[in-house]
Amino acid sequence: MLSRRQAVHFGLAAGAAAGFGLPAYAQGLSTIEMFVPAAPGGGWDQTARSIELAMRTDGIVSNFQFEHAPGAGGAVGLPKFLSSKRGKENAVMVGGLVMVGSLLANKSPVKMTELVPLARLTGEALVLVVPSSSPFQKLEDLTRAMKADIGKVSIAGGSAGGSDHILAGMMAKALGLEPKRVAYVAFAGGGPAQAAILGAQVSAGISGYGEFSEQVKAGKMRVLAISSDKRLPGIDAPTFKEQGVDVELFNWRGVFGAPGITAAQRAALIGLFDRMVAGPTWKSELEKRDWTGVYLSGDPFGAFLTAEIERIAGILKDLGLTS
């Protein structure tokens, strides 16, 4: 994985190179039908709204129509998108790592490989935190306790099978422990999870840094480790890897086209995102939201998606969530 600064720079450079001399049809789409398989306000919706802001502000696309279909980490929305948007050249769906895990855990009859991969846009590193009153001062303290009795170290996070749970399982496996024995406590939202961590009802918690940043800055939580490959600017936390735990995970988000579109229509949509990441507004959104730019488009993104599905399937099997 690239560092946040490197990834943003790389993504902008790649987008700029692709944006110049863009075919006319790539500039001909005046409306995007943005499909968000989650409720308004969440990470996927924030991504979609940032796309709208960047494209409108930088004069790439002037009109956006939004549709939300929340439920089960995208397992409800995906089949709706596949059936209702088939062949639509201007339909775009937001999705990511959470959907990969949710579809596998829910044994969904539809697959993300039925989508048309357009671009991976952002990645958010996850952090492992403890309340400031915790006896675990460093990651080593917590991992020692896990090795002594994994069932006594409870970890709060989002839904079962989501990125937080996946990271907990990866951590256990890296320590030579059985992932399915992790004492993972799933919460429906960030608020209840934070309350459990701050109240010392659990040993630790996992989420994106943005979820805990205010509590960390206020001195109420302590970050033990971050799941990026390198330390990230603005986040005073060592990585898992530099502390001897071979774990790396980004909660990535990307965009997909509808099945049945032509190669030229796909190229047109990719061209829009190439231009977007090269523009100043998208760069500003990355900075403002503390997102890491991990831009990857077209066939390379498709290859990444295939490999990611296989990787996450293995982790969920280790967690006992899939057979």
Side-chain angles (χ1 to χ4, degrees), residues 23-31 60 89 268 272 275:
Y25 58 75
Q27 302 178 29
L29 292 174
S30 61
T31 301
I60 300 169
E89 65 174 0
L272 297 178
R275 292 174 64 197

Side-chain angles (χ1 to χ4, degrees), residues 128-141:
L128 175 70
V129 301
V130 294
S132 57
S133 60
S134 173
F136 303 131
Q137 296 295 315
K138 298 180 179 180
L139 179 62
E140 181 183 6
D141 300 328

Side-chain angles (χ1 to χ4, degrees), residues 187-212:
F187 288 88
Q194 280 200 40
I197 298 164
L198 291 171
Q201 298 168 25
V202 291
S203 306
I206 294 175
S207 189
Y209 177 73
E211 191 76 39
F212 299 136

Side-chain angles (χ1 to χ4, degrees), residues 269-309:
L269 288 172
I270 292 172
L272 297 178
F273 288 99
D274 285 343
R275 292 174 64 197
M276 183 191 79
V277 299
T281 306
W282 182 251
K283 181 181 179 181
S284 176
E285 284 294 288
L286 292 178
E287 295 289 343
K288 182 176 73 176
R289 297 183 180 275
D290 287 321
W291 288 341
T292 300
V294 290
Y295 192 65
L296 186 70
S297 64
D299 290 342
F301 175 45
F304 164 82
L305 178 64
T306 300
E308 188 75 339
I309 291 171

